[in-house]
């Protein structure tokens, strides 16, 4: 997605909730549809309902709200917009409805379908339905569809993301926190034991961002986000080739030409990852063979794909722009791969189908080679992670982190990565996408500051 189309993310959301407001006028006395900028307090004041009653009527345990959510204003059931039919019937639009290129309010509008038009569902995905109208095919939100008697095509079942492939490794790590050991590679697996902070462990298998270790006779998987690699001297140092661009070459420097590049144990994409190098980094190359460079990394050696490394005249390697976070730039490249994925509470891995806001930060920066533990927004803001706190008057650059307060709860509660001085990428209510601070009062009023990794 281009930044330009990403900037439309919030405007489309605001337009959508305006349509909900019109469609629900008749039910206004008994319900309220949450709009951008709404809080429980503002809703209680608008409808003269106490906060306690508002929470009780809707079984709310927190102040968290979602745009489009329907709240009861009294003890009776509210009138709600019917979801799109998934089998047995067709659908009819209940308002003028935007058809979009893909399932999400941040995608381009293909055509606006008038109210009362009968549509035949082709496929469903969460809260969205794929339909055809006016010679075009795209996606519409189920909130503006009601049942009809048309027989649709059986919707397809969303494909579950493939599990990461497991591979053998032989690597030592030191824990950077008290670390849970689980039966499988994910937070959904049962606990086996816990490893104290500062303990050295040896990993023998890797599955995505999880490795298999043994501690006190018990084995299981731990997250690499809480591990620091222990480097060891190579068993047999390799003498650099005099004829290539390796260590000691007087003519060329070899510079990483991609945001983040994996360093592997051998010259194969199936071999274990032992580290990462980032954009602009100059490499000390041992030798080159069959499309792979063997490089020095720490006190050992590893292999990187030569296609992501460029040769430049000696001494001409350009350093990153002053004030730019290399780790942040690399993290942006990782995050952009998942634009459009859903918001998944407490998720920090795409294998779960999406991310929450702090989970995206954890995943993107660790994939970019910046080791940081998994925690929440408040701890990332208050702790030493990602550097010192910078005030909201600070002018950010690409790769800086932006922090917000008082979103779904009081205090620091949301974060994203700046892709320029005004636009940020984040995992929000409608999934992973873009927003612009200066043009959106909701975000502008909640900025508390920035950090530069």
């Amino acid at each position: 997605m281009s930044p330009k189309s990403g900037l439309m993310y919030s405007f489309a959301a605001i337009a959508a909730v305006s349509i909900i407001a019109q469609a629900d006028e008749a039910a206004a006395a008994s319900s309220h549809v949450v709009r951008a900028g709404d809080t429980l307090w503002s809703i209680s004041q608008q409808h003269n309902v106490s906060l306690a009653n508002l929470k009780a009527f809707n079984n709310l345990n927190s102040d968290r709200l979602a745009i489009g959510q329907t709240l009861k204003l009294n003890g009776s059931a509210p009138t709600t917009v019917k979801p799109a039919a998934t089998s047995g019937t067709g659908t009819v639009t209940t308002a003028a409805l935007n058809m979009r290129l893909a399932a999400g309010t941040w995608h381009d509008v293909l055509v606006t379908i008038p109210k009362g038009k009968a549509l035949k569902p082709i496929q469903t995905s969460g809260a969205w339905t794929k339909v055809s109208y006016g010679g075009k095919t795209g996606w519409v939100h189920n909130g503006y569809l009601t049942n009809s008697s048309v027989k649709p095509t059986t919707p397809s079942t969303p494909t579950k993301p493939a599990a990461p492939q497991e591979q053998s490794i032989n690597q030592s790590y030191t824990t950077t926190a008290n670390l849970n050991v689980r039966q499988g590679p994910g937070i959904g697996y049962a606990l086996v034991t816990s490893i104290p902070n500062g303990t050295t462990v040896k990993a023998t298998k890797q599955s995505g961002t999880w490795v298999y270790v043994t501690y006190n006779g018990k084995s299981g998987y731990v997250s690499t986000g809480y591990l620091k690699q222990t480097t060891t001297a190579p068993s047999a140092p390799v003498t650099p080739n005099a004829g290539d661009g390796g260590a000691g070459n007087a003519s060329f420097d070899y510079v990483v030409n991609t945001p983040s590049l994996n360093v592997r144990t051998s010259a194969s994409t199936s071999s274990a990852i032992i580290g990462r190098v980032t954009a602009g980094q100059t490499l000390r190359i041992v030798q080159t063979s069959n499309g792979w460079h063997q490089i020095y990394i720490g006190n050992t050696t590893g292999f990187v794909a030569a296609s992501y490394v460029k040769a430049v005249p000696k001494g001409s390697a350009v350093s990153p722009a002053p004030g730019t976070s290399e780790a942040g730039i690399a993290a942006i490249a990782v995050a952009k791969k998942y634009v459009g994925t859903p918001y998944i509470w407490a998720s920090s891995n795409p294998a779960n189908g999406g991310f929450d806001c702090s989970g995206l930060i954890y995943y993107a920066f660790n994939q970019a080679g910046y080791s940081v533990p998994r925690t929440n927004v408040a701890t990332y803001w208050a702790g030493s992670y990602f550097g010192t706190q910078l005030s909201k008057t600070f002018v950010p650059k690409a790769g800086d982190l932006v922090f917000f307060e008082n979103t779904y709860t009081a205090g620091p509660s949301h974060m994203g990565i700046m892709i320029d001085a005004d636009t940020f990428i984040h995992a929000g209510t409608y999934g992973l996408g873009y927003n612009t601070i200066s043009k959106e009062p909701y975000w502008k009023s909640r900025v508390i500051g920035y950090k530069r990794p």
Side-chain angles (χ1 to χ4, degrees), residues 193-376:
T193 186
S194 180
I195 305 175
N197 185 14
T199 303
T200 298
V201 293
K202 184 177 181 180
T204 57
K205 293 186 290 186
Q206 182 167 3
S207 179
T209 58
W210 294 75
V211 293
Y212 187 81
V213 301
T214 299
Y215 174 72
N216 279 351
K218 296 182 178 181
S219 300
Y221 291 83
V222 295
S223 170
T224 54
Y226 301 92
L227 296 176
K228 181 179 180 180
Q229 182 177 318
T230 302
T231 57
T232 56
S235 56
V238 181
T239 303
N241 291 342
D244 66 7
N249 186 280
S251 301
F252 296 100
D253 283 328
Y254 280 75
V255 181
V256 179
N257 194 30
T258 189
S260 180
L261 179 59
N262 292 328
V263 182
R264 299 182 179 273
T265 56
S266 62
S268 170
T269 55
S270 62
S271 63
I273 297 171
I274 60 172
R276 289 181 179 84
V277 289
T278 56
Q281 186 172 340
T282 300
L283 305 179
R284 294 178 60 221
I285 294 180
V286 178
Q287 61 180 350
T288 301
S289 179
N290 297 324
W292 291 83
H293 292 312
Q294 185 180 21
I295 68 169
Y296 289 107
I297 178 169
N299 295 321
T300 187
T301 62
F303 293 81
V304 296
S307 58
Y308 297 103
V309 179
K310 64 179 179 180
V312 299
K314 198 74 173 180
S316 66
V318 180
S319 300
T324 301
S325 164
E326 288 185 57
I329 297 297
I332 289 172
V334 175
K336 283 183 175 180
K337 296 178 183 179
Y338 302 99
V339 166
T341 56
Y343 180 92
I344 304 294
W345 177 257
S347 174
S348 59
N349 194 308
N352 299 326
F355 305 89
D356 68 7
C357 66
S358 57
L360 171 66
I361 301 302
Y362 162 80
Y363 180 82
F365 275 88
N366 276 280
Q367 290 294 306
Y370 185 101
S371 180
V372 63
R374 174 69 165 111
T375 182
N376 56 28

Side-chain angles (χ1 to χ4, degrees), residues 18 79 159 165 275 307 324 336 339 410 437 453:
S18 297
T79 302
T159 303
Q165 184 177 1
S307 58
T324 301
K336 283 183 175 180
V339 166
I437 295 172

Side-chain angles (χ1 to χ4, degrees), residues 15 17 27 85 94 98 134 136 179 209-210 304 340 358 366 377 382 408 424:
V17 297
T94 60
N98 288 331
K136 297 182 179 181
L179 182 55
T209 58
W210 294 75
V304 296
S358 57
N366 276 280
V377 175
Y408 74 93
F424 63 100

